[in-house]
Structure formats: structure tokens, C-alpha cells
Amino acid sequence: MAYNPRDRFWQKAKKEGLRARSAYKLEEIQDRFHILRPGARVLDLGAAPGGWCQIAAREAGPKGFVLGLDLEPIAPLPPPAQTWVADAFAPELLDRLRSEGRAPYDAVLSDLAPKTSGVRGSDEARSLELAGRALDLSLRVLKPSGFFVVKVFMGGDFEGFLKQCRQAFRQVRVVRPQASVARGSKEVYLVCHEPRAPQETTQVS
């Protein structure tokens, strides 16, 4: 969907120096659930152009750390944010996060979205594939008290993915931020808290 300069979130982002209107989606989630705290370590997947990193860095503060990953280069951000050009599907990413990326994290954020083809079924399937990868990665790098926030488009096997998240986390909430509603988007965000221990996930139906 093309950006509309008359959109109030677009105007607000420009005025406040935020790189994307989507920053307000994370801001609303933060206001409601307090997922980011001073000193937090945060991993942001699909971070370009950096709007979510800006919000996360503000909340984590100077003693925190925010790592933004994207296939596209992200213009430099001030500390405590860093960015990498990296593929979330790369098999070597997990080791790199542990050796260079300061894992484990207090929060993993995923605003990953596929390049839309216009074929609804294909786009929904690709969106869920990205969300599934983010879920898998989050379970490997989150602290036991950590949060996972992931974008998913309604439709397709959304209910199946929601069930996966509920099996993997003690708490899962479905959120539709105002900045999504304002554009008529079908996207929602799952706010997941406290990953279950591996033995627990086999007991949850």
C-alpha cells in the first residue's frame, strides 16, 4: 500500500524524526505491555529503515543494546543501536548472534514482511514462513523472561501459527495497533512472553 502524506502517523513520524510510521506500532505495543526496559538487549529482524530500532533504543537507554538486521543496508543509528546486513534465514546467523551479537536477548522483534506478489495465498504463505523463522530464532536466543513480537497477516494458516506460539510461550496476545488499523491493513502482531522450556512444549496441546 503506497504511503499517503496525509496519513497522521506518516506526518507524526516525519515531525518527530522517526524513520517509519511503523515505529508507532511498536510504541503502542510498548505502552501496553512494557516489553522493553532500561538496559535491555534487543534483536530487531526486518529492521530497515530503522524506525523500530529507534523506539527500542529509546526504551533500552544508554546501558542497553539494540541490533537491527535486514537484507537492505540501514543508515547508521546512534548508540545503543547497531545494524547488520544479514539474512534471517542464513544458517550461520545463530552462531554469529551468540558470538558477536550479544545474545541472549530480552526481546526479539520481527517486522519481517515478504515482497508482495499480489497473489493473496502466496503472500500469506510467505508471511507465515518468515514469522515461523522468527519464532524459531527467538526460541534459541531469548532469555527465559523474554518477549517475542512478530507481525503476521490474518488469513491462510494464521490459527495454526498462533497455536505454535501458544505452545512455545506461556503468554500470547494478539494486537492490532492503531497505525495498522488506520491503513486498513490485515496485519496483526503477536506479543509473546516467557518461552517455555523444551520439555514443556511437548506437554501443551
Side-chain angles (χ1 to χ4, degrees), residues 84-100 133 137:
W84 293 354
V85 175
D87 184 351
F89 284 82
E92 68 275 9
L93 179 61
L94 181 60
D95 286 341
R96 189 181 176 197
L97 290 173
R98 288 171 173 164
S99 62
E100 302 173 43
R133 170 57 176 166
L137 196 57

Side-chain angles (χ1 to χ4, degrees), residues 108-149:
V108 174
L109 314 175
S110 175
D111 204 29
L112 287 165
K115 290 185 178 177
T116 54
S117 65
V119 180
R120 182 175 166 181
S122 298
D123 291 342
E124 288 172 352
R126 180 61 176 159
S127 170
L128 283 169
E129 184 183 3
L130 292 172
R133 170 57 176 166
L135 171 62
D136 180 62
L137 196 57
S138 76
L139 294 173
R140 295 168 186 266
V141 298
L142 269 178
K143 295 180 182 179
S145 60
F147 282 91
F148 172 53
V149 178

Side-chain angles (χ1 to χ4, degrees), residues 10 22 24 26-27 29 47 49 57 66-67 79 89 120 123 130 132 134-135 145 152 158 172 186 189-190 204:
W10 187 91
S22 61
Y24 297 110
L26 181 59
E27 185 175 72
I29 291 168
V66 177
L67 177 59
F89 284 82
R120 182 175 166 181
D123 291 342
L130 292 172
L135 171 62
S145 60
V152 190
F158 169 78
V172 179
K186 290 185 67 180
Y189 290 84
L190 304 187
V204 179

Side-chain angles (χ1 to χ4, degrees), residues 24-37 52 59 106-107 109 145-150 171-178 188-194:
Y24 297 110
K25 301 172 190 177
L26 181 59
E27 185 175 72
E28 181 179 333
I29 291 168
Q30 169 66 6
D31 288 346
R32 291 174 62 181
F33 304 110
H34 308 290
I35 63 171
L36 306 170
R37 300 183 184 278
W52 278 37
E59 299 297 332
D106 297 283
L109 314 175
S145 60
F147 282 91
F148 172 53
V149 178
V150 59
Q171 237 178 28
V172 179
R173 295 180 175 94
V174 181
V175 181
R176 194 160 180 242
Q178 285 301 309
V188 295
Y189 290 84
L190 304 187
V191 180
C192 310
H193 187 209
E194 295 185 343

Side-chain angles (χ1 to χ4, degrees), residues 37-42 56-66 79-81 102 106:
R37 300 183 184 278
R41 294 183 185 181
V42 182
R58 182 186 74 193
E59 299 297 332
K63 293 185 179 179
F65 173 70
V66 177
R102 303 195 203 178
D106 297 283

